[in-house]
Amino acid sequence: MSSFHRFNIESLDSLKGKIRIYAILAVISFLCLWMRIWYLQILKGDSFEELAKNNRMRMVSLAPFRGELKDRNEETLVGVRPSFNLYITPEDVENISETLDFLAETITFDRKLLNKAIKHTRSFKNILIKADVSREDVAFVEENKMRLPGIQIQAEPLRSYKYGNMAAHVFGYLGEISKNRLLEEEGDFYRSGDLVGKDGIEKIFESTLKGQKGLKEVEVDVSGRELAVLRRLPPVGGNVVTLTLDSILQQTAEKALSGVPGEPFSGALVLMKVKTGEILAAVSKPSFDPNLFAGGISRRNWRGLLFDEMHPLQNRVVQGQYPPGSIHKIVVALAGLEEGIVDEKTTFYCPGYYNLGRGKYRCWKRGGHGKVDIHKALKESCDVYFYNLGNKLGVDTIARYANQFGLGRLTGIPLFGEKPGLAPTEKWKLKSKGENWYPGETISASIGQGFNLVTPIQQAVLLAGVANNGTIVKPFLVKKIESLKGQLIQEFSPEIKIKGNISEKSLEIVRDGLRAVVNEDGGTGRRSRLPDIIVSGKTGTAQVVRMKSGDVPEEEDTPFLFRDHAWFAAFAPYDDPEIAISVLVEHGGHGGSAAAPIARKVLKKYFELYPPASKIQAEFSSTVN
Amino acid sequence: MNDSTSRHQTSDPILGCVVGLLIIIGVVMVYSSSAVVAGEKYNDPYYFLKRQMLWVFIGFIALRITRSMDYRLLEKFAYPILFGAFLLLIAVMIPGLGKEVGGARRWLTLGGANFQPSEIAKIAIIIFIAKSLVKRSDQLKNFAYGYLPNVIVLGFFFVPILFQPDFGTALIIGVVALLMLFIAGIRTRFLAYSFLAVIPLVISAVTGAEYRMRRIFAFLDPWQDPSDTGFQAIQSFYAFGRGGIWGVGLGDGSQKLFYLPEAHTDFIFSVIGEELGFIGAVFIVILFGTFIWRGFAAALNAKDPFGAHVAVGITLLIGIQAFINMGVAIGLLPTKGLTLPFISMGGSSLVVLMMSAGVLLNISQHPVKK
């Protein structure tokens, strides 16, 4: 072997000699180890063992208070309150079943679940018997301490949603951290069983709301009871998140958006500032009580919410997609004006129906509207006018204008699961359905039926855009984040999403039509009228079942789930728009009768709270005179 | 004599047994020391055990491969291996690829598993230096040709490792490399110069920050600051004290519950001391001692100088790391985040260690008559 030749004798000897040196060094080093271990374990073993016995320090982690959620006027909507939790330490109890029997005489709790927990947990650990017990129960336990060894009450912070169901979809809820999340998590904050935000603001702002855990070094006796606190690193509470919501308006909206008690009711409402996109109120019904989740939700309650046919966990404001109905006429009207197909003088004749090919499309008014210009078409929501206009525009042009107002796109509101809706095009249909677009479908699309889908938040953004010279703002929910001490950490400012290029003239014509909808005789939205503020809006009816040959059955005859959805969307005041609103009542029937009165109640409250400058001036001058 | 068909190759059985025993003890001790913590944090007491067993399985396959593969292939591919290891170290510095844990960026994430390129760097450098020593065996007395190239390569590797920062790994690579150079017959003078050059750097780094100095010298008298810098050392002493001669029994140690930080990695030797006592701890020391003995024996019996140098390097690497880890646990050395080879919980590092053991076993193969 050639390598042996290169491995000459001299270097081999030197190698051997040096390895011997290393071996001796290794032996010396390892002897040192041996001696040191001997010293620690045998010579000093007893004294170290004695010291270790006194080693009764224990690190206890201290949970921080989760940050509060406040409304725009600094009212606390979501906070933390003490909850009295009942624990058992099995090791300290002589006869567990006897003790529990005695306890069960006064306090009800799940015995089976507890027995299972006791079996599966180390005996020196505390096991929760019942969370959030009443003050009477606390008194009972304290009075009978002698008969209840190993049973303790601990006051622990509990997330508390002040108004229960209110704005539950915005706040979200808490839940036990998932195993995957725990594995992904860097750092050492979370433990299995910790509660984290699972939806809404609670989830989005988890990292800022959670705070920092504290640490307590305590001296304990042999059985683990605390004797003294040696060192305390207090936890730091989470940051305070101030929302754009207005608590009073939110409550008004929650109350307004409700049906006859005892009957199913579902719907959504958004109230948004036109110029900034701040959301003042956002309601989705049916709702749920996030307090149910605050201490860890019971399996039964969770399943109840999850499998409820009315889907209370769904946030209809951003996740509910419905045909826009006649509200879409706003988009079609603007498209027609901008494309020069119609102007304010152009008229179409409405005999009550419209023929295209072999199809016959009805206007909602059987007798027809007669000669209709754009003002009347919007005011009375004449379908035939928009059939004519839509047919001339084509579906792709309608979609282009819809996109300009944020339809068919995410609004970007910081909530989970937002749906983009749909502004259909010929290409879209070919791609998703593999079919060509039929001209008849353009007719449906031009009155917002057929494939069109929008969310309630998109309708509000659309109306805000019309009110705000075509500029589309991004809706937002959080104004600022502050530390507990009030130090500003982050402030959120309005963002412009689409800088619209719709001419002021076209917008003016459409706005005037919307004013007429609410304020002129024959308008479909008259039930949203306010005495001293000019509201401008549009009603809509979203068909749930597509009608054949235009037979419109009477509402009362239709089963509830097949009834149409009622829409109303508006902005106000007409002269200097401040606020946009969109209301959806699922299966509510007509927008004018079901949705417009709800919007009225909310708008009325808004202008009571925030009177417009012009009105204040008017009142001022009247008092001076 | 050249007729290899009449001969059968076996690797050193003692060495194989030592490695196997260390790994088995490791699996048991990782479970014992992590079960409570894992149960609390992940609600699964077997969390670390399962992972350790998976890594042992992967490591075992790696060991089988390197044991049966001719180690001379390593000489052939020394440069590509070195270059690859260097690229991985650089990759750690790239924000998207490297993963930062506790302020140090040492990890690469690949398909959900993390691994530490500095582990591969250790072995790559050993292979490179072994090859370089063979290639330059005539010129070892020459500073520019025999010594400098090695130092330059080392320097290149130190930059990304110190950037992480990982002083422990840099230290161990430096020491192993110098010992390998010394054994090959590099002039002691060159080594002395290098030391002199490095010392001021080390001193300025250590004394620059007062807290760092306190932390390093805390091991001399841990009772000076028992709740902070001396905490780990004291809790480790208590563990050994509680263990006595026979130990408190497997799984019954209590120091690991609340007091010993990183009980399943850096301070696993203390858990062994507590649960298996003086007998168990000394047994581990003897196992590592035997490993060093058989490792050096493999070097002396190697077929060629390259094998001898690689064997020395691997033996030194594992032996020194074990010595430092145990020395820290019993308060002989300042706290340094090095794991106990084969025993501490470790993912990729265990695989690399087992691969290295495979290479060592391959070098130890010697012809025996059938």
Side-chain angles (χ1 to χ4, degrees), chain A residues 1 3-4 6-8 12 14-16 18-23 26 29-34 36-42 44-49 51-53 55-59 122 124-125 179 182-192 217 220 231, chain B residues 2 36 40-44 47 72 75 99-100 134 179-180 182-183 185 223 227 231 235 237-238 240-245 255 258-259 269 273-274 277-278 281-282 285 288-289 292 296 299-300 302-305 308-309 312 316 319 323 326-327 330-332:
Chain A
M1 284 183 207
S3 51
F4 269 118
R6 267 166 55 195
F7 208 167
N8 57 57
L12 189 67
S14 115
L15 194 72
K16 271 190 177 165
K18 277 174 181 152
I19 286 185
R20 203 157 292 139
I21 297 174
Y22 285 180
S29 313
F30 277 62
L31 272 177
C32 286
L33 288 179
W34 178 81
R36 177 73 177 181
I37 296 169
W38 181 68
Y39 167 81
L40 284 178
Q41 301 209 270
I42 313 239
K44 297 274 265 181
D46 289 343
S47 81
F48 277 135
E49 197 182 347
L51 283 169
K53 261 189 201 150
N55 195 357
R56 292 295 166 208
M57 284 186 303
R58 204 166 277 191
M59 300 290 197
R122 287 165 165 258
F124 61 81
K125 279 199 159 176
K179 203 162 180 179
L182 207 54
L183 295 182
E184 279 167 22
E185 190 68 31
E186 282 180 25
D188 209 30
F189 187 84
Y190 294 111
R191 288 283 177 276
S192 129
E217 205 175 306
V220 291
R231 198 161 60 122
Chain B
N2 283 340
V36 173
E40 194 156 300
K41 181 158 183 190
Y42 300 109
N43 212 7
D44 176 9
Y47 180 77
R72 274 167 296 196
E75 187 173 14
K99 192 178 160 197
E100 202 168 317
V134 173
L179 288 174
M180 284 178 77
F182 173 72
I183 213 167
W223 273 273
S227 65
F231 183 80
Q235 297 305 332
F237 291 169
Y238 287 173
F240 280 98
R242 280 176 50 92
I245 297 182
Q255 288 298 101
F258 307 104
Y259 310 110
F269 190 55
E274 182 179 11
F278 177 73
V282 167
V285 173
F288 278 111
I292 294 171
F296 284 153
L300 290 173
K303 282 176 246 166
D304 58 13
H309 288 307
V312 168
L316 286 172
F323 176 76
M326 293 188 285
I330 56 180
L332 277 182

Side-chain angles (χ1 to χ4, degrees), chain A residues 187-244:
Chain A
D188 209 30
F189 187 84
Y190 294 111
R191 288 283 177 276
S192 129
D194 278 357
L195 294 172
V196 294
K198 289 277 183 174
D199 200 0
I201 299 290
E202 294 275 31
K203 181 172 179 182
I204 298 162
F205 291 94
E206 169 68 25
S207 61
T208 191
L209 288 169
K210 72 179 184 192
Q212 279 167 26
K213 277 184 184 166
L215 205 68
K216 192 169 70 167
E217 205 175 306
V218 291
E219 198 182 332
V220 291
D221 67 9
V222 184
S223 57
R225 255 177 283 268
E226 264 181 44
L227 296 177
V229 178
L230 302 177
R231 198 161 60 122
R232 201 167 179 281
L233 214 77
V236 182
N239 296 324
V240 178
V241 171
T242 303
L243 303 172
T244 57

Side-chain angles (χ1 to χ4, degrees), chain B residues 69-141:
Chain B
M69 188 185 76
D70 190 347
Y71 68 83
R72 274 167 296 196
L73 277 174
L74 295 174
E75 187 173 14
K76 215 167 149 189
F77 291 110
Y79 295 142
I81 292 171
L82 189 76
F83 189 63
F86 186 69
L87 282 186
L88 287 172
L89 278 177
I90 298 295
V92 175
M93 298 205 280
I94 299 167
L97 296 167
K99 192 178 160 197
E100 202 168 317
V101 178
R105 193 189 282 280
R106 297 177 184 170
W107 303 88
L108 271 186
T109 309
L110 267 187
N114 298 324
F115 84 103
Q116 241 177 315
S118 54
E119 300 289 343
I120 295 175
K122 288 179 193 167
I123 198 80
I125 284 187
I126 288 173
I127 293 167
F128 163 75
I129 290 188
K131 178 176 175 140
S132 147
L133 289 174
V134 173
K135 211 170 98 182
R136 306 176 217 285
S137 56
D138 318 330
Q139 277 140 314
L140 292 176
K141 308 277 177 216

Side-chain angles (χ1 to χ4, degrees), chain A residues 336-611:
Chain A
L337 291 166
E338 286 292 286
E339 294 292 310
I341 291 168
V342 290
D343 58 25
E344 67 266 45
K345 293 189 201 81
T346 316
T347 57
F348 292 105
Y349 183 76
C350 169
Y353 57 86
Y354 175 76
N355 288 322
L356 183 78
R358 273 186 292 165
K360 186 172 185 182
Y361 298 85
R362 288 199 176 277
C363 185
W364 66 269
K365 195 171 174 184
R366 296 276 175 100
H369 290 93
K371 219 168 93 176
V372 187
D373 64 2
I374 196 160
H375 184 81
K376 191 176 172 189
L378 282 169
K379 180 176 82 175
E380 298 182 14
S381 204
C382 173
D383 292 336
V384 170
Y385 180 94
F386 289 98
Y387 293 152
N388 279 296
L389 179 52
N391 193 34
K392 290 195 163 119
L393 283 165
V395 72
D396 286 359
T397 313
I398 298 176
R400 206 173 76 230
Y401 281 89
N403 290 339
Q404 272 203 47
F405 283 92
L407 303 177
R409 311 249 162 102
L410 296 175
T411 64
I413 187 171
L415 284 176
F416 286 98
E418 195 196 349
K419 297 271 165 62
L422 178 65
T425 58
E426 291 183 17
K427 224 164 130 188
W428 164 82
K429 196 184 171 203
L430 198 63
K431 221 173 120 187
S432 66
K433 309 232 179 232
E435 279 176 31
N436 283 322
W437 186 267
Y438 301 121
E441 288 167 340
T442 307
I443 304 304
S444 309
S446 53
I447 60 159
Q449 309 291 359
F451 298 115
N452 285 285
L453 289 174
V454 297
T455 60
I457 183 81
Q458 285 176 329
Q459 296 287 57
V461 169
L462 164 68
L463 267 288
V466 172
N468 195 21
N469 303 326
T471 303
I472 299 299
V473 288
K474 183 169 154 182
F476 69 106
L477 272 164
V478 174
K479 274 177 93 82
K480 60 183 177 187
I481 300 173
E482 287 167 320
S483 75
L484 258 186
K485 286 179 189 143
Q487 212 171 14
L488 190 68
I489 293 169
Q490 202 181 350
E491 199 164 14
F492 297 85
S493 42
E495 269 176 61
I496 288 173
K497 197 146 174 279
I498 303 165
K499 191 110 189 86
N501 56 346
I502 308 286
S503 74
E504 187 50 34
K505 188 163 177 259
S506 304
L507 286 164
E508 195 52 59
I509 292 168
V510 169
R511 277 199 293 259
D512 188 55
L514 299 182
R515 183 188 55 77
V517 168
V518 179
N519 297 288
E520 284 181 9
D521 287 341
T524 54
R526 285 184 53 84
R527 293 208 209 172
S528 68
R529 214 156 73 103
L530 289 176
D532 42 7
I533 302 283
I534 302 175
V535 176
S536 313
K538 184 78 197 77
T539 58
T541 305
Q543 286 173 6
V544 172
V545 183
R546 250 183 274 175
M547 301 301 161
K548 280 187 182 161
S549 68
D551 279 333
V552 183
E554 284 307 305
E555 223 173 81
E556 285 69 33
D557 307 336
T558 321
F560 179 76
L561 282 175
F562 297 120
R563 272 186 226 163
D564 294 340
H565 300 316
W567 273 118
F568 183 72
F571 65 86
Y574 171 74
D575 301 312
D576 183 15
E578 285 180 22
I579 198 89
I581 190 169
S582 109
V583 179
L584 172 92
V585 180
E586 284 188 0
H587 313 298
H590 292 297
S593 55
I598 293 171
R600 180 180 186 277
K601 285 182 198 165
V602 178
L603 291 173
K604 184 165 172 271
K605 193 74 186 179
Y606 173 83
F607 288 110
E608 271 171 38
L609 293 173
Y610 305 97

